[in-house]
Amino acid sequence: MEKGLLKGCFECCIKCLGGIPYPSLIATILLYAGVALFCGCGHEALSGTVTILQNYFEVVRGPMDSLDVFTMIDIIKYVIYGIASAFFVYGILLMVEGFFTTGAIRDLYGDFKITTCGRCVSAWFIMLTYIFMLAWLGVTAFTSLPVFMYFNIWSICQNTTVVESANLCLDLRQFGIVPIGEEKKVCTGSEKFFKMCESNELDLTFHLFVCALAGAGAAVIAMIHYLMVLSSNWAYVKDACKMQKYEDIKSKEEQELHDIHSTRSKERLNAYT
């Protein structure tokens, strides 16, 4: 009795494990990791940027109705909140779509994927995932800009003895952070420059931006993985639809042959009698 129960539990576990869409699961884990890394590190890096601008470059926040660098940073933070929420839901939707393409779930709930609705859903997810992949490529390119800027500043700080006699200046006007009329710069050899280089904000913010860039790259890889999975599912949908049409035609022809054979048998029987 116990052996039969254990055998039944084992077979049930094997069937459940066979119904898990592992490619979609891997892509979802990669997507969540990339989005979490991008959103978390990006948010903290933006907060560190605000601290650096206020403490070392003496940039003052403008009025509430003005569009300055601090307002742009606040807008980007809200965009990060939206990205985190949207892709959390999108990852769940793609996992559900992946479950509907596995044999175990299909046996339980019927051939949803070979209906017209199933084909439309697969095509819609492919198009949407492709658009999101392009969007994440743009986000990755955009995130590389602060990484490049902070790398230059970090490199100058790491080579203070070399550039000490060169009298280099970090001018925010070069990056478009402040208007041309405002002169906000920190030069090598100044007290603010040494304080900024010795502070934890610069090193931490730089590495947070690097992690955010890595997270955006992971999201791009996840989108590409999703495209591969969805394309494979779409190929299955087309093959299953063709196979279903073939089975319907074959069944119809067999039924017609059976009807013809039955009619002839009845005619022969009637003629004999």
Side-chain angles (χ1 to χ4, degrees):
M1 182 68 180
E2 293 182 357
K3 290 183 178 180
L5 183 62
L6 291 174
K7 184 178 180 181
C9 292
F10 179 76
E11 291 177 353
C12 182
C13 292
I14 293 298
K15 188 175 182 180
C16 291
L17 291 175
I20 297 175
Y22 291 102
S24 297
L25 179 62
I26 293 172
T28 302
I29 293 174
L30 186 60
L31 176 65
Y32 282 169
V35 171
L37 197 61
F38 171 78
C39 293
C41 294
H43 184 275
E44 293 303 314
L46 290 173
S47 300
T49 300
V50 172
T51 303
I52 292 173
L53 291 176
Q54 290 178 337
N55 292 344
Y56 304 108
F57 289 92
E58 297 181 353
V59 181
V60 181
R61 185 184 289 270
M64 295 299 296
D65 56 347
S66 63
L67 186 63
D68 57 0
V69 61
F70 298 109
T71 305
M72 293 297 297
I73 288 176
D74 292 337
I75 292 173
I76 294 174
K77 285 184 178 180
Y78 285 116
V79 171
I80 287 176
Y81 300 150
I83 289 175
S85 303
F87 279 92
F88 175 77
V89 176
Y90 191 66
I92 294 176
L93 292 177
L94 288 176
M95 273 298 296
V96 172
E97 198 275 344
F99 270 109
F100 272 110
T101 62
T102 55
I105 301 299
R106 200 166 55 248
D107 292 339
L108 290 174
Y109 296 100
D111 289 335
F112 166 81
K113 291 297 296 180
I114 61 176
T115 63
T116 303
C117 178
R119 295 198 300 272
C120 291
V121 168
S122 294
W124 173 254
F125 274 122
I126 290 174
M127 182 185 69
L128 203 59
T129 304
Y130 183 76
I131 294 174
F132 283 149
M133 184 197 69
L134 296 179
W136 274 110
L137 283 174
V139 170
T140 304
F142 180 77
T143 310
S144 65
L145 296 178
V147 172
F148 174 73
M149 289 188 290
Y150 272 101
F151 176 75
N152 289 335
I153 299 174
W154 183 78
S155 298
I156 293 174
C157 289
Q158 296 297 315
N159 299 279
T160 52
T161 56
V162 178
V163 301
E164 195 172 29
S165 59
N167 194 22
L168 301 177
C169 293
L170 302 172
D171 197 340
L172 295 182
R173 293 175 296 181
Q174 297 176 338
F175 306 109
I177 297 178
V178 296
I180 300 297
E182 296 184 18
E183 184 176 344
K184 301 293 183 180
K185 62 181 180 180
V186 173
C187 296
T188 57
S190 64
E191 184 180 357
K192 289 182 181 179
F193 176 78
F194 287 112
K195 285 184 178 180
M196 182 180 66
C197 292
E198 292 175 357
S199 66
N200 294 325
E201 288 90 352
L202 180 63
D203 188 69
L204 180 61
T205 303
F206 169 59
H207 289 91
L208 284 174
F209 270 121
V210 172
C211 292
L213 179 62
V220 172
I221 297 174
M223 290 292 104
I224 295 174
H225 196 162
Y226 270 130
L227 279 176
M228 295 169 61
V229 173
L230 291 170
S231 299
S232 176
N233 293 344
W234 173 252
Y236 164 77
V237 169
K238 292 182 66 178
D239 292 341
C241 184
K242 292 179 181 179
M243 184 60 67
Q244 187 183 42
K245 290 180 179 180
Y246 172 75
E247 292 293 338
D248 291 341
I249 294 173
K250 183 180 178 181
S251 177
K252 186 177 180 181
E253 290 178 350
E254 289 178 352
Q255 184 64 36
E256 289 177 354
L257 290 174
H258 181 268
D259 293 340
I260 293 173
H261 181 72
S262 298
T263 303
R264 289 180 178 178
S265 297
K266 289 179 180 180
E267 290 177 351
R268 291 175 183 176
L269 182 62
N270 292 333
Y272 177 76
T273 55

